[in-house]
Amino acid sequence: MDHHWDGYDSIGGSVPLDLVNTVSWRRDPARREDRLSDPARLSEWVVLVGASSERLEISEAVLERVKAFRETLYRVLVSDPPDLTTLRKPLIEAYRHASLPSSLPLRWVVPLDDGAALPHFLALATEDLLRSEALDRVRECEGPGCGWVFTDHTRNRSRRWCSSADCGNRARAKRHYAKTRV
C-alpha cells in the first residue's frame, strides 16, 4: 500500500465505522478527501481493516455501491432521529446472499470470497453494530470539519476526538494559542 493511506487510521472500533472514516475532513468541503477513489483503493482498505487477508477483485459498480452505503451509514449515525428505512434494501440484499453456519450463536454471514460480496458483508457488519451495546458509545469527532466517527471506550464516555494526536492536538494547540494571546 502506498502513501494514499497515510493519515488514515482504523480508529472507528468496527469495520462499518472505519468505512465511514474513508472520507477525511467530511465536514470541510475545501479539505474533503475520499480515500476510496477507485476499486483498487477499496480492495486495499478491505485488507487494511482486516475484513479480508487478501485483496479482492472489485468492480467499479461495487465501489459505487459501497460508497453510497457509506454515505447512508454516516447519515444514519449522525442524524437524530436516524432514517433507518434507508438500510432496508441493503440488508434485504445481504440476507439473500448470506448463509447460516451450523453453530451457535445464530449469526448470518457473508464470506468475502470475491469483491461482489463486499456490499453484503458491510451491510451485515453494520447491522451487528446497530444491534450492539456499543451503539450508544458511537460518537462523531468534535474537531472542526473532521466528521470521523468512533466508538468511545473510555470509562466515563468522555472521548471527544477521533485521535488525541490529530484533532485533539489541534484543539489543545488552539486553546494554548488563545491563552497566550490574551
Side-chain angles (χ1 to χ4, degrees), residues 104-171:
L104 292 175
L106 178 69
R107 185 170 180 208
W108 292 92
V109 296
V110 174
L112 274 181
D113 43 11
D114 66 48
L118 184 58
H120 311 304
F121 172 86
L122 293 170
L124 290 183
T126 296
E127 182 183 36
D128 285 347
L129 171 68
L130 297 179
R131 286 179 183 254
S132 76
E133 293 177 12
L135 181 60
D136 67 342
R137 291 181 170 266
V138 172
R139 309 271 185 274
E140 184 175 18
C141 180
E142 292 180 15
C146 181
W148 273 19
V149 292
F150 56 87
T151 305
D152 179 359
H153 291 291
T154 61
R155 181 178 290 163
N156 63 354
R157 299 178 186 215
S158 62
R159 183 174 167 190
R160 300 171 56 196
W161 317 110
C162 59
S163 166
S164 62
D166 194 352
C167 288
N169 189 51
R170 280 189 193 87

Side-chain angles (χ1 to χ4, degrees), residues 14-57:
S14 69
V15 171
L17 297 182
D18 286 334
L19 175 65
V20 169
N21 295 343
T22 58
V23 174
S24 296
W25 302 107
R26 175 182 293 281
R27 293 185 174 268
D28 183 350
R31 296 174 71 188
R32 183 181 170 107
E33 178 187 359
D34 185 347
R35 294 180 189 267
L36 300 182
S37 55
D38 60 50
R41 300 293 186 214
L42 177 55
S43 183
E44 290 171 358
W45 175 83
V46 168
V47 174
L48 185 70
V49 297
S52 175
S53 59
E54 57 189 52
R55 292 179 61 170
L56 304 173
E57 187 68 34

Side-chain angles (χ1 to χ4, degrees), residues 33-102:
E33 178 187 359
D34 185 347
R35 294 180 189 267
L36 300 182
S37 55
D38 60 50
R41 300 293 186 214
L42 177 55
S43 183
E44 290 171 358
W45 175 83
V46 168
V47 174
L48 185 70
V49 297
S52 175
S53 59
E54 57 189 52
R55 292 179 61 170
L56 304 173
E57 187 68 34
I58 296 176
S59 69
E60 195 70 40
V62 166
L63 172 66
E64 292 309 314
R65 285 180 62 197
V66 167
K67 288 169 73 169
F69 182 75
R70 174 189 66 193
E71 298 310 309
T72 297
L73 176 56
Y74 175 73
R75 286 189 301 276
V76 164
L77 292 171
V78 300
S79 299
D80 188 27
D83 181 5
L84 297 176
T85 62
T86 59
L87 295 175
R88 179 176 164 70
K89 183 178 178 186
L91 284 170
I92 288 172
E93 288 178 17
Y95 279 114
R96 287 187 182 131
H97 292 88
S99 61
L100 272 175
S102 59

